[in-house]
Coordinates of all heavy atoms in Angstrom, one line a residue:
M1 N -7.7 3.6 13.4 CA -7.7 2.2 13.4 C -7.8 1.7 14.9 O -7.1 2.3 15.7 CB -6.3 1.7 12.8 CG -6.4 0.2 12.5 SD -4.8 -0.3 11.7 CE -4.1 -1.2 13.0
R2 N -8.7 0.9 15.1 CA -8.9 0.4 16.5 C -8.2 -0.9 16.7 O -8.2 -1.8 16.0 CB -10.4 0.1 16.6 CG -10.9 -0.2 18.0 CD -10.9 1.1 18.9 NE -12.0 1.9 18.6 CZ -11.9 3.3 18.8 NH1 -10.9 3.9 19.2 NH2 -13.0 4.0 18.5
V3 N -7.4 -0.9 17.9 CA -6.7 -2.1 18.3 C -7.1 -2.5 19.6 O -7.4 -1.7 20.5 CB -5.2 -1.8 18.3 CG1 -4.4 -3.0 18.8 CG2 -4.6 -1.4 17.0
F4 N -7.4 -3.8 19.8 CA -7.9 -4.3 21.0 C -6.8 -5.2 21.7 O -6.1 -6.0 21.0 CB -9.2 -5.1 20.9 CG -10.3 -4.2 20.5 CD1 -10.6 -4.1 19.0 CD2 -11.0 -3.5 21.4 CE1 -11.6 -3.3 18.7 CE2 -12.1 -2.7 21.0 CZ -12.4 -2.6 19.6
C5 N -6.7 -5.2 23.0 CA -5.8 -6.0 23.7 C -6.1 -7.5 23.6 O -7.2 -7.9 23.8 CB -5.8 -5.7 25.2 SG -4.7 -6.7 26.2
P6 N -5.2 -8.3 23.1 CA -5.4 -9.7 22.9 C -5.6 -10.5 24.3 O -6.1 -11.6 24.3 CB -4.2 -10.2 22.1 CG -3.1 -9.2 22.4 CD -3.8 -7.9 22.7
E7 N -5.1 -9.8 25.3 CA -5.3 -10.5 26.7 C -6.7 -10.2 27.3 O -7.3 -11.2 27.8 CB -4.2 -10.1 27.6 CG -2.8 -10.5 27.1 CD -2.6 -12.0 27.1 OE1 -3.3 -12.7 27.9 OE2 -1.9 -12.5 26.2
C8 N -7.0 -9.0 27.4 CA -8.3 -8.6 28.0 C -9.4 -8.1 27.2 O -10.5 -7.8 27.7 CB -8.0 -7.6 29.2 SG -7.7 -6.0 28.7
G9 N -9.1 -7.8 25.9 CA -10.1 -7.3 25.0 C -10.4 -5.7 25.1 O -11.2 -5.2 24.4
A10 N -9.7 -5.0 25.9 CA -9.9 -3.6 26.1 C -9.3 -2.9 24.9 O -8.3 -3.4 24.2 CB -9.3 -3.0 27.4
K11 N -9.8 -1.6 24.6 CA -9.2 -0.7 23.6 C -7.7 -0.5 24.0 O -7.3 -0.4 25.1 CB -9.8 0.6 23.5 CG -11.2 0.6 22.8 CD -11.7 2.0 22.7 CE -13.2 2.0 22.4 NZ -13.9 3.3 22.7
S12 N -6.8 -0.5 22.9 CA -5.4 -0.3 23.1 C -5.0 0.8 22.2 O -5.6 1.2 21.2 CB -4.6 -1.5 22.8 OG -5.1 -2.6 23.7
C13 N -3.9 1.5 22.7 CA -3.4 2.7 21.9 C -2.1 2.2 21.1 O -1.3 1.5 21.6 CB -3.0 3.8 22.8 SG -4.4 4.5 23.7
I14 N -2.0 2.7 19.9 CA -0.8 2.5 19.1 C 0.2 3.6 19.5 O 0.0 4.8 19.3 CB -1.1 2.6 17.5 CG1 -2.1 1.5 17.1 CG2 0.2 2.4 16.8 CD1 -2.6 1.7 15.8
Q15 N 1.3 3.2 20.1 CA 2.2 4.1 20.7 C 3.3 4.5 19.6 O 3.8 5.7 19.6 CB 3.0 3.5 21.9 CG 2.1 3.0 23.0 CD 1.4 4.2 23.7 OE1 1.7 5.3 23.5 NE2 0.5 3.9 24.6
K16 N 3.6 3.6 18.8 CA 4.7 3.8 17.8 C 4.4 2.8 16.6 O 3.9 1.7 16.8 CB 6.0 3.4 18.5 CG 7.3 3.9 17.8 CD 8.5 3.5 18.5 CE 9.0 2.1 18.0 NZ 10.3 1.7 18.6
S17 N 4.8 3.2 15.4 CA 4.8 2.3 14.3 C 6.2 2.2 13.7 O 6.9 3.2 13.6 CB 3.7 2.7 13.3 OG 4.0 3.9 12.7
N18 N 6.6 1.0 13.3 CA 7.9 0.8 12.7 C 7.7 0.2 11.3 O 7.3 -0.9 11.2 CB 8.7 -0.1 13.6 CG 10.1 -0.2 13.1 OD1 10.6 0.6 12.4 ND2 10.9 -1.1 13.7
R19 N 7.8 1.1 10.3 CA 7.6 0.6 8.9 C 8.8 -0.1 8.4 O 9.9 0.3 8.2 CB 7.4 1.9 8.0 CG 6.8 1.6 6.7 CD 6.3 2.8 6.0 NE 5.7 2.5 4.7 CZ 6.2 2.9 3.6 NH1 7.3 3.6 3.5 NH2 5.6 2.6 2.5
I20 N 8.5 -1.5 8.3 CA 9.6 -2.4 7.9 C 9.8 -2.4 6.3 O 10.9 -2.4 5.9 CB 9.3 -3.9 8.3 CG1 9.0 -3.9 9.9 CG2 10.4 -4.8 8.0 CD1 10.2 -3.6 10.7
S21 N 8.7 -2.3 5.6 CA 8.7 -2.2 4.1 C 7.4 -1.5 3.7 O 6.6 -1.2 4.6 CB 8.8 -3.7 3.6 OG 7.5 -4.3 3.7
S22 N 7.3 -1.4 2.4 CA 6.0 -0.7 1.9 C 4.8 -1.5 2.2 O 3.7 -0.9 2.2 CB 6.2 -0.4 0.4 OG 6.2 -1.7 -0.3
K23 N 4.9 -2.8 2.6 CA 3.7 -3.6 2.8 C 3.7 -4.3 4.1 O 2.9 -5.1 4.4 CB 3.7 -4.7 1.7 CG 3.4 -4.1 0.3 CD 3.4 -5.1 -0.8 CE 3.1 -4.4 -2.1 NZ 3.3 -5.2 -3.3
Y24 N 4.5 -3.9 5.0 CA 4.6 -4.4 6.4 C 5.0 -3.4 7.4 O 6.1 -2.7 7.3 CB 5.6 -5.6 6.4 CG 5.7 -6.3 7.7 CD1 4.9 -7.5 7.9 CD2 6.5 -5.9 8.7 CE1 5.0 -8.1 9.1 CE2 6.5 -6.5 9.9 CZ 5.8 -7.6 10.1 OH 5.8 -8.3 11.3
T25 N 4.2 -3.3 8.5 CA 4.6 -2.3 9.6 C 4.3 -3.0 10.9 O 3.3 -3.7 11.1 CB 3.6 -1.1 9.4 OG1 3.9 -0.5 8.2 CG2 3.9 -0.1 10.6
D26 N 5.2 -2.8 11.9 CA 5.0 -3.3 13.2 C 4.4 -2.2 14.0 O 4.8 -1.0 13.9 CB 6.4 -3.6 13.9 CG 6.8 -5.0 13.5 OD1 6.0 -5.8 13.1 OD2 8.1 -5.2 13.6
L27 N 3.3 -2.4 14.7 CA 2.6 -1.5 15.5 C 2.8 -1.8 17.0 O 2.4 -2.9 17.5 CB 1.1 -1.5 15.2 CG 0.6 -1.2 13.8 CD1 -0.9 -1.4 13.7 CD2 1.0 0.2 13.4
Y28 N 3.4 -0.9 17.7 CA 3.7 -1.0 19.2 C 2.5 -0.5 19.9 O 2.2 0.7 19.8 CB 5.0 -0.4 19.5 CG 6.2 -1.0 19.0 CD1 6.5 -0.9 17.7 CD2 6.9 -1.9 19.8 CE1 7.7 -1.5 17.1 CE2 8.1 -2.6 19.3 CZ 8.4 -2.4 18.0 OH 9.5 -3.1 17.4
C29 N 1.8 -1.4 20.6 CA 0.6 -1.0 21.3 C 0.6 -1.2 22.8 O 1.5 -2.0 23.3 CB -0.6 -1.9 20.7 SG -0.6 -2.0 19.0
S30 N -0.3 -0.4 23.5 CA -0.4 -0.6 24.9 C -1.9 -0.6 25.3 O -2.6 0.2 24.8 CB 0.4 0.4 25.7 OG -0.1 1.6 25.6
C31 N -2.2 -1.6 26.2 CA -3.6 -1.7 26.6 C -4.0 -0.4 27.5 O -3.2 0.0 28.3 CB -3.7 -2.9 27.4 SG -5.4 -3.3 28.0
S32 N -5.2 0.1 27.3 CA -5.6 1.2 28.0 C -6.2 0.8 29.4 O -6.5 1.8 30.2 CB -6.7 2.0 27.2 OG -7.8 1.2 26.9
E33 N -6.4 -0.4 29.6 CA -7.0 -0.9 30.9 C -5.8 -0.9 31.9 O -4.9 -1.7 31.8 CB -7.6 -2.3 30.7 CG -8.1 -2.9 31.9 CD -9.2 -2.1 32.6 OE1 -10.2 -1.8 31.9 OE2 -9.1 -1.9 33.8
P34 N -5.9 0.0 32.9 CA -4.8 0.2 33.9 C -4.5 -1.1 34.6 O -3.4 -1.4 34.9 CB -5.2 1.2 34.9 CG -6.4 1.9 34.2 CD -7.0 1.0 33.3
E35 N -5.5 -1.9 34.9 CA -5.3 -3.2 35.7 C -4.6 -4.3 34.8 O -4.1 -5.2 35.3 CB -6.6 -3.7 36.3 CG -7.1 -2.8 37.4 CD -8.4 -3.3 37.9 OE1 -8.9 -4.4 37.5 OE2 -9.1 -2.5 38.7
C36 N -4.6 -4.1 33.5 CA -3.9 -5.0 32.6 C -2.5 -4.6 32.2 O -1.6 -5.2 32.6 CB -4.8 -5.1 31.3 SG -4.1 -6.2 30.0
G37 N -2.4 -3.4 31.6 CA -1.1 -2.9 31.4 C -0.3 -3.6 30.3 O 1.0 -3.5 30.2
H38 N -0.9 -4.5 29.5 CA -0.2 -5.3 28.5 C 0.3 -4.4 27.4 O -0.4 -3.5 26.9 CB -1.3 -6.3 27.9 CG -0.6 -7.3 27.0 ND1 -1.4 -7.8 26.0 CD2 0.6 -7.8 26.9 CE1 -0.7 -8.6 25.3 NE2 0.5 -8.7 25.8
S39 N 1.6 -4.5 27.1 CA 2.1 -3.8 25.9 C 2.5 -5.0 24.9 O 3.1 -6.0 25.3 CB 3.2 -2.9 26.2 OG 4.3 -3.6 26.8
F40 N 2.3 -4.7 23.7 CA 2.5 -5.8 22.6 C 2.7 -5.2 21.3 O 2.6 -4.0 21.1 CB 1.2 -6.7 22.6 CG -0.1 -5.9 22.5 CD1 -0.7 -5.8 21.2 CD2 -0.7 -5.4 23.6 CE1 -1.9 -5.2 21.1 CE2 -1.9 -4.7 23.5 CZ -2.5 -4.6 22.2
V41 N 3.0 -6.1 20.3 CA 3.2 -5.6 18.9 C 2.3 -6.4 18.0 O 2.2 -7.5 18.1 CB 4.7 -6.0 18.5 CG1 5.0 -5.6 17.0 CG2 5.7 -5.3 19.4
M42 N 1.6 -5.6 17.2 CA 0.7 -6.1 16.2 C 1.4 -5.9 14.8 O 2.2 -5.0 14.7 CB -0.7 -5.4 16.2 CG -1.5 -5.6 17.5 SD -2.1 -7.3 17.5 CE -3.9 -6.9 17.8
N43 N 1.0 -6.7 13.9 CA 1.6 -6.5 12.5 C 0.5 -6.0 11.5 O -0.6 -6.5 11.5 CB 2.1 -7.9 11.9 CG 3.0 -8.6 12.8 OD1 3.0 -9.8 13.1 ND2 4.0 -7.9 13.5
L44 N 0.9 -5.0 10.8 CA 0.0 -4.5 9.7 C 0.5 -4.9 8.5 O 1.7 -4.5 8.1 CB -0.1 -2.9 9.9 CG -1.0 -2.2 8.9 CD1 -2.4 -2.6 9.2 CD2 -0.9 -0.7 9.1
T45 N -0.1 -5.7 7.6 CA 0.4 -6.2 6.4 C -0.6 -5.9 5.2 O -1.8 -5.9 5.4 CB 0.7 -7.7 6.4 OG1 -0.5 -8.4 6.7 CG2 1.7 -8.1 7.3
Y46 N 0.0 -5.6 4.1 CA -0.7 -5.5 2.8 C -1.4 -6.8 2.5 O -0.7 -7.8 2.6 CB 0.1 -5.0 1.7 CG -0.4 -5.1 0.3 CD1 -1.3 -4.1 -0.1 CD2 -0.1 -6.2 -0.5 CE1 -1.8 -4.2 -1.4 CE2 -0.6 -6.3 -1.7 CZ -1.4 -5.3 -2.2 OH -2.0 -5.4 -3.4
S47 N -2.6 -6.8 2.0 CA -3.3 -8.1 1.6 C -3.4 -8.2 0.2 O -2.6 -8.9 -0.5 CB -4.6 -8.2 2.3 OG -5.2 -9.4 1.9
H48 N -4.3 -7.5 -0.5 CA -4.4 -7.5 -1.9 C -5.2 -6.3 -2.5 O -5.7 -5.6 -1.8 CB -5.2 -8.8 -2.3 CG -6.6 -8.9 -1.7 ND1 -6.8 -9.3 -0.4 CD2 -7.8 -8.6 -2.2 CE1 -8.1 -9.2 -0.1 NE2 -8.7 -8.8 -1.2
T49 N -5.0 -6.1 -3.8 CA -5.6 -5.0 -4.5 C -7.1 -5.2 -4.8 O -7.4 -6.3 -5.3 CB -4.9 -4.7 -5.8 OG1 -3.5 -4.4 -5.5 CG2 -5.4 -3.6 -6.6
L50 N -7.9 -4.1 -4.6 CA -9.4 -4.2 -5.0 C -9.5 -3.5 -6.3 O -10.3 -3.9 -7.2 CB -10.3 -3.6 -4.0 CG -10.2 -4.3 -2.6 CD1 -11.1 -3.7 -1.6 CD2 -10.8 -5.8 -2.8
S51 N -8.8 -2.3 -6.5 CA -8.9 -1.5 -7.7 C -7.4 -1.1 -7.9 O -6.8 -0.5 -7.1 CB -9.9 -0.4 -7.5 OG -9.8 0.5 -8.6
P52 N -6.9 -1.3 -9.1 CA -5.5 -0.9 -9.3 C -5.2 0.5 -9.3 O -6.1 1.4 -9.5 CB -5.2 -1.4 -10.8 CG -6.5 -1.6 -11.4 CD -7.5 -1.8 -10.3
S53 N -4.0 0.9 -8.8 CA -3.5 2.3 -8.7 C -3.5 2.9 -10.1 O -2.9 2.3 -11.0 CB -2.2 2.3 -8.0 OG -1.6 3.5 -8.3
A54 N -4.1 4.1 -10.2 CA -4.0 4.8 -11.4 C -2.5 5.2 -11.8 O -2.1 5.1 -13.0 CB -4.7 6.2 -11.3
K55 N -1.7 5.3 -10.8 CA -0.3 5.6 -11.0 C 0.4 4.5 -11.6 O 1.2 4.6 -12.6 CB 0.4 6.0 -9.7 CG 0.0 7.3 -9.1 CD 0.8 7.7 -7.9 CE 0.5 9.0 -7.4 NZ 1.3 9.4 -6.2
T56 N 0.1 3.3 -11.1 CA 0.7 2.0 -11.7 C 0.3 1.8 -13.1 O 1.1 1.5 -13.9 CB 0.3 0.8 -10.8 OG1 0.6 1.2 -9.4 CG2 1.1 -0.4 -11.1
T57 N -1.0 2.0 -13.3 CA -1.5 1.8 -14.7 C -0.9 2.7 -15.7 O -0.5 2.3 -16.8 CB -3.1 2.0 -14.7 OG1 -3.6 1.2 -13.6 CG2 -3.7 1.5 -16.0
S58 N -0.8 4.0 -15.4 CA -0.3 5.0 -16.4 C 1.2 4.7 -16.5 O 1.8 4.9 -17.7 CB -0.5 6.4 -15.9 OG 0.0 6.7 -14.6
Q59 N 1.9 4.3 -15.4 CA 3.3 4.0 -15.5 C 3.6 2.8 -16.4 O 4.5 2.7 -17.3 CB 4.0 3.7 -14.2 CG 5.5 3.6 -14.2 CD 6.2 4.8 -14.7 OE1 5.9 5.9 -14.2 NE2 7.2 4.6 -15.5
L60 N 2.7 1.8 -16.3 CA 2.7 0.6 -17.1 C 2.6 0.9 -18.6 O 3.3 0.5 -19.5 CB 1.6 -0.4 -16.7 CG 1.7 -1.8 -17.2 CD1 2.9 -2.6 -16.6 CD2 0.4 -2.6 -16.8
A61 N 1.6 1.7 -18.9 CA 1.3 2.2 -20.3 C 2.5 2.9 -20.8 O 2.9 2.7 -22.0 CB 0.0 3.0 -20.3
F62 N 3.1 3.9 -20.0 CA 4.2 4.6 -20.5 C 5.4 3.7 -20.8 O 6.1 3.9 -21.9 CB 4.6 5.6 -19.3 CG 5.8 6.5 -19.7 CD1 5.6 7.5 -20.5 CD2 7.1 6.3 -19.1 CE1 6.7 8.4 -20.9 CE2 8.1 7.1 -19.4 CZ 7.9 8.1 -20.3
N63 N 5.6 2.7 -19.9 CA 6.7 1.7 -20.2 C 6.6 1.0 -21.5 O 7.5 0.7 -22.2 CB 6.9 0.8 -19.0 CG 7.4 1.5 -17.7 OD1 7.8 2.6 -17.8 ND2 7.2 0.8 -16.6
M64 N 5.3 0.6 -21.7 CA 5.0 -0.2 -22.9 C 5.3 0.7 -24.2 O 5.8 0.2 -25.2 CB 3.5 -0.6 -22.9 CG 3.3 -1.8 -21.9 SD 1.6 -2.2 -21.6 CE 1.2 -3.1 -23.1
V65 N 4.8 2.0 -24.1 CA 5.0 2.8 -25.3 C 6.5 3.1 -25.6 O 7.0 3.0 -26.7 CB 4.3 4.3 -25.0 CG1 4.7 5.2 -26.1 CG2 2.8 4.1 -25.0
Q66 N 7.3 3.1 -24.4 CA 8.7 3.4 -24.6 C 9.4 2.1 -25.3 O 10.4 2.3 -25.9 CB 9.4 3.5 -23.2 CG 9.2 5.0 -22.7 CD 10.2 5.3 -21.6 OE1 10.3 4.4 -20.7 NE2 11.0 6.3 -21.6
A67 N 8.8 1.0 -25.1 CA 9.4 -0.3 -25.6 C 9.0 -0.4 -27.1 O 9.6 -1.3 -27.8 CB 8.9 -1.4 -24.9
L68 N 8.1 0.4 -27.6 CA 7.7 0.3 -29.1 C 8.8 0.9 -30.0 O 9.5 1.8 -29.6 CB 6.4 1.1 -29.3 CG 5.1 0.6 -28.7 CD1 4.0 1.6 -28.9 CD2 4.8 -0.7 -29.4
P69 N 9.0 0.3 -31.2 CA 9.8 0.9 -32.2 C 9.3 2.3 -32.6 O 8.0 2.5 -32.5 CB 9.8 -0.1 -33.4 CG 9.0 -1.3 -32.9 CD 8.2 -1.0 -31.7
P70 N 10.2 3.2 -33.0 CA 9.8 4.6 -33.3 C 8.6 4.7 -34.3 O 7.7 5.5 -34.1 CB 11.0 5.1 -34.0 CG 12.2 4.3 -33.5 CD 11.6 2.9 -33.3
E71 N 8.5 3.8 -35.3 CA 7.4 4.0 -36.3 C 6.0 3.7 -35.5 O 5.0 4.4 -35.8 CB 7.5 3.0 -37.5 CG 8.9 2.9 -38.1 CD 9.7 1.9 -37.3 OE1 9.4 0.7 -37.3 OE2 10.9 2.3 -36.8
Q72 N 6.1 2.6 -34.8 CA 4.8 2.2 -34.1 C 4.4 3.3 -33.0 O 3.3 3.5 -32.8 CB 5.0 0.8 -33.4 CG 5.0 -0.3 -34.4 CD 5.0 -1.7 -33.7 OE1 4.9 -1.8 -32.5 NE2 5.1 -2.7 -34.5
R73 N 5.5 3.9 -32.4 CA 5.2 5.0 -31.4 C 4.5 6.1 -32.1 O 3.6 6.7 -31.6 CB 6.6 5.4 -30.8 CG 6.4 5.9 -29.4 CD 7.6 6.3 -28.8 NE 8.7 5.3 -28.7 CZ 9.9 5.6 -28.1 NH1 10.2 6.7 -27.7 NH2 10.8 4.6 -28.0
K74 N 5.0 6.5 -33.4 CA 4.4 7.6 -34.1 C 3.0 7.3 -34.5 O 2.1 8.1 -34.4 CB 5.3 7.8 -35.4 CG 6.2 9.0 -35.3 CD 6.7 9.4 -36.6 CE 7.8 10.5 -36.4 NZ 9.0 10.2 -37.2
E75 N 2.8 6.0 -34.9 CA 1.4 5.6 -35.3 C 0.5 5.7 -34.1 O -0.6 6.1 -34.2 CB 1.5 4.1 -35.8 CG 0.2 3.5 -36.1 CD -0.6 4.3 -37.2 OE1 0.0 4.9 -38.0 OE2 -1.9 4.1 -37.2
L76 N 1.0 5.3 -32.9 CA 0.2 5.4 -31.7 C -0.1 6.8 -31.3 O -1.3 7.1 -31.0 CB 0.9 4.7 -30.5 CG 0.2 4.6 -29.2 CD1 -1.1 3.8 -29.3 CD2 1.1 4.1 -28.1
Q77 N 0.9 7.7 -31.5 CA 0.7 9.1 -31.2 C -0.5 9.7 -32.1 O -1.3 10.4 -31.7 CB 2.0 9.9 -31.6 CG 2.9 10.0 -30.4 CD 4.2 10.8 -30.7 OE1 4.6 10.9 -31.9 NE2 4.8 11.4 -29.7
H78 N -0.4 9.2 -33.4 CA -1.4 9.6 -34.4 C -2.8 9.2 -34.0 O -3.7 9.9 -34.0 CB -1.0 9.1 -35.8 CG -2.1 9.4 -36.9 ND1 -2.3 10.7 -37.2 CD2 -2.9 8.6 -37.6 CE1 -3.2 10.7 -38.2 NE2 -3.6 9.4 -38.4
Q79 N -2.9 7.9 -33.6 CA -4.1 7.3 -33.1 C -4.7 8.0 -31.9 O -5.9 8.4 -31.8 CB -4.0 5.8 -32.8 CG -3.8 5.0 -34.0 CD -3.5 3.5 -33.7 OE1 -3.1 3.2 -32.6 NE2 -3.8 2.6 -34.7
L80 N -3.8 8.3 -30.9 CA -4.2 9.0 -29.7 C -4.6 10.5 -30.0 O -5.5 10.9 -29.2 CB -3.0 9.0 -28.7 CG -2.7 7.7 -28.0 CD1 -1.4 7.9 -27.2 CD2 -3.8 7.2 -27.2
S81 N -4.1 11.1 -31.0 CA -4.5 12.4 -31.3 C -5.9 12.5 -31.8 O -6.5 13.6 -31.8 CB -3.5 13.1 -32.3 OG -3.6 12.5 -33.5
M82 N -6.4 11.4 -32.3 CA -7.8 11.4 -32.8 C -8.8 11.1 -31.8 O -10.0 11.2 -31.9 CB -7.9 10.2 -33.9 CG -7.1 10.6 -35.1 SD -7.4 9.6 -36.6 CE -6.9 8.0 -36.0
L83 N -8.3 10.9 -30.6 CA -9.3 10.6 -29.4 C -10.0 11.8 -28.9 O -9.4 12.9 -28.9 CB -8.6 9.8 -28.2 CG -8.1 8.4 -28.5 CD1 -7.4 7.9 -27.3 CD2 -9.3 7.5 -28.8
Ligands
ZN1 ZN1 -5.4 -5.6 28.3

């Protein structure tokens, strides 16, 4: 990931990252331009989903099946066995 100094526009290095939550990280950066020497914090945040996680989808399906009454669960098992 490329970070640029907001003061002089030079490439900057990420020195340290501090993960605040699963969707938010603070990036501690320093400018690579010796005459600038700016050190600063950038924020990395989750924006939105383009394609849903397969893990989330299968977990969702599993939770829904668990919520079914036993007879409907059996019926679903029967239907799935025919796939
Ligand atoms: Zn700079």
